Amino acid sequence: MDDWIRTNSGAPLITPQKTYNGPPGMSQAKYERVTKAGAQKKEIADDAQQALSSPKLSASEQAKSRAKAEIQAIMKRMNVLKKLFSADPKQMAKALAQVFRDLKAALKQYKDALKDEQGLGGDLVSGVLTARAAASAPTAQSGTADQEPSPQTDAAPVKSDPQSLYNSVLGAYQQQFGADGLDFVKTLRATVQEIEDKIVSAARIQAKGRPKDKATDEAFKDMDGALKDLRKDMDDMDRDLKQAAPAAGQSLDVAA
């Protein structure tokens, strides 16, 4: 399109000046690139949030909530155990072995739900992007391919390679669940550490101050095994999440 405004005779009259709203010291070209990149980042975040809000995730979200509630219930149970077995290290060790197994089960419940959500990511993101593309497609009423958008009224769409856009939105989706999972593991670690510091250590001290007893030794051995298994599962989940969850907002090839 000719950028000149012309008289009826065709002679150029004036060249319109583009409005520049960028910060001082930044070129117009760079300002436009930064603005488009910001729009792209917002678009990715909005699309990922729409995928995260899908009703298809409700069952897994409920399972994750139950796992969190189980941890809170176990901590309340610990107050009862302290009163019941504060002077009986053998029974305390037996009770703690079950506590660690229950925490391990809660961890598995959360991990399984998280796996389901991550597995749905591709389909949910594809659905969001397909729906948005269909909604933004031109219609006979809104315009045709031969019409040029008015710079005054029509905002130019942010363009990017479709596969790059899909990867970026999926990355933001997976990153959110990865962050949630890591936060859950962090909370669980703190819970286990509190149990060890306040209850396990006291039970060990009491057991050492008593005559050797095979049943007590077996109870502590079982407790230590359950604790070791729980720690391994926490470490595995922590490692897997850090490896699998890509960083949100992957860089895209934005049209300059």
Side-chain angles (χ1 to χ4, degrees):
M1 174 182 276
D2 194 344
D3 288 336
W4 291 88
I5 296 177
R6 298 179 178 273
T7 63
N8 291 335
S9 65
L13 179 63
I14 187 172
T15 302
Q17 298 294 319
K18 292 184 178 180
T19 302
Y20 176 63
N21 297 318
M26 181 182 290
S27 68
Q28 177 71 22
K30 183 175 181 181
Y31 173 67
E32 290 178 357
R33 288 197 299 271
V34 171
T35 301
K36 286 184 178 181
Q40 187 93 67
K41 186 175 181 180
K42 182 179 185 303
E43 183 180 282
I44 291 169
D46 290 346
D47 288 342
Q49 186 55 51
Q50 187 173 345
L52 291 165
S53 302
S54 171
K56 293 182 180 180
L57 301 176
S58 60
S60 54
E61 283 297 303
Q62 290 173 10
K64 287 161 62 177
S65 295
R66 288 194 296 271
K68 293 177 181 178
E70 177 65 15
I71 293 178
Q72 295 176 350
I74 288 173
M75 289 307 294
K76 291 181 179 179
R77 193 197 314 169
M78 295 308 305
N79 294 326
V80 177
L81 295 179
K82 284 190 292 185
K83 294 178 180 179
L84 289 175
F85 306 127
S86 60
D88 191 337
K90 180 178 70 175
Q91 293 302 321
M92 179 63 80
K94 288 183 177 181
L96 289 172
Q98 186 58 50
V99 164
F100 293 140
R101 291 190 178 97
D102 290 344
L103 290 174
K104 177 182 168 72
L107 176 64
K108 184 179 185 304
Q109 182 179 32
Y110 192 98
K111 186 176 182 179
D112 288 346
L114 197 63
K115 185 177 180 180
D116 290 342
E117 291 176 330
Q118 290 174 325
L120 288 170
D123 289 342
L124 293 179
V125 169
S126 292
V128 169
L129 296 181
T130 299
R132 180 161 59 77
S136 62
T139 63
Q141 289 75 24
S142 61
T144 67
D146 294 332
Q147 292 178 317
E148 295 187 25
S150 166
Q152 302 292 332
T153 59
D154 297 336
V158 180
K159 298 179 180 179
S160 65
D161 173 67
Q163 186 62 47
S164 294
L165 179 59
Y166 169 83
N167 290 341
S168 294
V169 176
L170 181 60
Y173 172 96
Q174 301 286 21
Q175 181 68 18
Q176 180 60 54
F177 285 124
D180 290 347
L182 290 172
D183 186 64
F184 179 83
V185 174
K186 181 180 179 181
T187 299
L188 183 55
R189 285 191 192 280
T191 299
V192 173
Q193 190 62 53
E194 182 177 353
I195 293 173
E196 286 192 82
D197 292 343
K198 295 183 177 180
I199 303 177
V200 174
S201 59
R204 291 191 193 280
I205 292 173
Q206 283 189 341
K208 287 181 179 180
R210 297 189 177 193
K212 290 288 289 183
D213 176 75
K214 183 177 180 180
T216 300
D217 291 343
E218 288 295 328
F220 273 90
K221 182 178 179 181
D222 185 44
M223 179 197 71
D224 289 337
L227 177 56
K228 182 179 179 180
D229 289 343
L230 173 59
R231 283 174 174 164
K232 182 180 184 303
D233 283 1
M234 289 191 294
D235 291 342
D236 289 347
M237 182 171 171
D238 187 278
R239 182 199 62 238
D240 292 345
L241 286 172
K242 289 177 179 177
Q243 290 178 351
Q250 296 176 8
S251 60
L252 293 172
D253 294 327
V254 180

